[in-house]
Amino acid sequence: MRAAVLHEHSAPPRYGEFGDPRPSGDAVVVDVEAAGLNHLDLAKASGTFYTGPPPLPSVVGSDGVGRLPDGRRVFFDTVVPPYGALAERVLVPSGALFDVADGVDGTLAAALGNSGLAAWLALEWRAGLRPGESVLVLGATGTVGTAAVQIARALGAGRVIAAARSSPRLHHLNADAHVELTGDTDDVAAAMRAAAGGGVDVIIDPLWGPPALAAMGAARHGARLVQLGQQAATAIELPAPLVRSAALDIRGFAVFHAPADVRRDAYLRMTELAASGGLTMDVQVVPLKDIAAAWERQRTGAGVKLVIACQ
């Protein structure tokens, strides 16, 4: 089969041939229609991700949408190494297959995989968002952030604040307020508090660094910050009084921390929302043969969600 094959942890995968997977034990073969390209895939392929380096050679990619031999359309976010999602076929544990809602486009269903689930689960499962609470989304113009702004509304948030670097895209997001992330942490924190009407209850943070510090300064008493990325910085100097004064709850998060049944239920409801038009994403489809160029775009910041067409 044709696949995106990793030969070195320090180099991008190459388009080429790889042995076909065969059903084994409780694992089944899925014909992959489309697969999202994620920052997670780059981190895993580099060998630096905390789950350890992948075997060499192996196929990259962690999640996608495809069909089983009986025609059932499924999403998967677990694969059996050395087979990955960025290939014509992949080997998946049968317990890791999720149903896809009727009426949702396959490209969008794949795009919502890692990024959409990260947003949905961070809000509902990890933060425990309650109806009427205010939500601040950092990095709101990114793929996770864009999804989080829409999903927060669908899950009953009372007020949604989108925060990102200044751009026309930020102000086009359907949020109650928009905050530009400038260099002054105190000013940004004040703007966030004002936008939230006194403070925020839930913070979705794929950035860390100064934006997270500003968001903590805008936290209402008992606020929950869900930390799911480090696109701005890997470390901050965090004053202890800032955490204590707001009784701030900082919660680490990764999609695969959620049990499979929780992810399965969230994915189905998320794709039902997408099928109804309530959740969209800016997507660009790239053929599998162009994986090297797509990989570099993802590394440097594509600006849109890249989805790889695998057939």
Side-chain angles (χ1 to χ4, degrees):
M1 67 177 180
R2 307 300 286 178
V5 184
L6 185 71
H7 297 276
E8 304 173 60
H9 294 139
S10 59
R14 300 197 299 266
Y15 177 67
E17 293 287 341
F18 199 81
D20 276 290
R22 296 284 184 265
S24 175
D26 70 342
V28 298
V29 175
V30 177
D31 289 324
V32 184
E33 176 185 348
L37 185 56
N38 309 302
H39 288 298
L40 174 65
D41 300 323
L42 274 66
K44 285 184 174 181
S46 71
T48 60
F49 195 65
Y50 56 79
T51 55
L56 295 176
S58 63
V59 179
V60 297
S62 52
D63 62 75
V65 170
R67 291 192 181 273
L68 299 177
D70 63 4
R72 175 187 168 199
R73 189 167 68 148
V74 294
F75 169 78
F76 58 89
D77 66 356
T78 303
V79 298
V80 179
Y83 303 103
L86 297 179
E88 293 176 316
R89 288 170 289 282
V90 65
L91 192 62
V92 179
S94 58
L97 299 172
F98 303 174
D99 287 321
V100 182
D102 293 336
V104 65
D105 175 75
T107 297
L108 180 56
L112 288 172
N114 182 273
S115 299
L117 269 178
W120 191 292
L121 293 170
L123 285 160
E124 183 178 59
W125 178 73
R126 197 69 178 105
L129 176 65
R130 296 184 287 270
E133 289 189 313
S134 58
V135 175
L136 169 63
V137 180
L138 302 179
T141 54
T143 54
V144 173
T146 299
V149 168
Q150 300 171 77
I151 291 167
R153 180 87 64 205
L155 292 177
R159 189 164 180 81
V160 181
I161 301 97
R165 288 181 294 183
S166 179
S167 73
R169 188 174 178 183
L170 170 62
H171 295 278
H172 289 156
L173 292 173
N174 185 23
D176 295 295
H178 307 85
V179 175
E180 295 182 0
L181 297 178
T182 62
D184 190 298
T185 299
D186 290 339
D187 287 350
V188 172
M192 290 172 173
R193 282 194 299 274
V200 295
D201 299 300
V202 172
I203 301 162
I204 300 301
D205 172 33
L207 302 181
W208 205 230
L213 198 60
M216 292 182 214
R220 198 187 304 274
H221 187 84
R224 292 90 73 201
L225 182 149
V226 182
Q227 213 301 303
L228 63 159
Q230 54 193 46
Q231 295 177 32
T234 59
I236 57 175
E237 184 175 335
L238 180 57
L242 182 62
V243 179
R244 293 199 310 273
S245 62
L248 183 64
D249 192 346
I250 301 175
R251 304 180 180 184
F253 169 79
V255 170
F256 56 82
H257 291 161
D261 60 333
V262 172
R263 301 199 312 274
R264 184 178 293 109
D265 175 69
Y267 182 80
L268 181 59
R269 288 188 290 134
M270 181 175 64
T271 52
E272 288 173 342
L273 180 64
S276 71
L279 178 56
T280 62
M281 187 171 288
D282 192 5
V283 177
Q284 183 172 344
V285 179
V286 179
L288 182 59
K289 65 181 179 62
D290 294 336
I291 183 58
W295 196 265
E296 179 61 16
R297 287 187 61 195
Q298 182 71 18
R299 187 186 68 81
T300 57
V304 297
K305 180 65 180 181
L306 298 179
V307 172
I308 308 301
C310 296
Q311 297 292 333

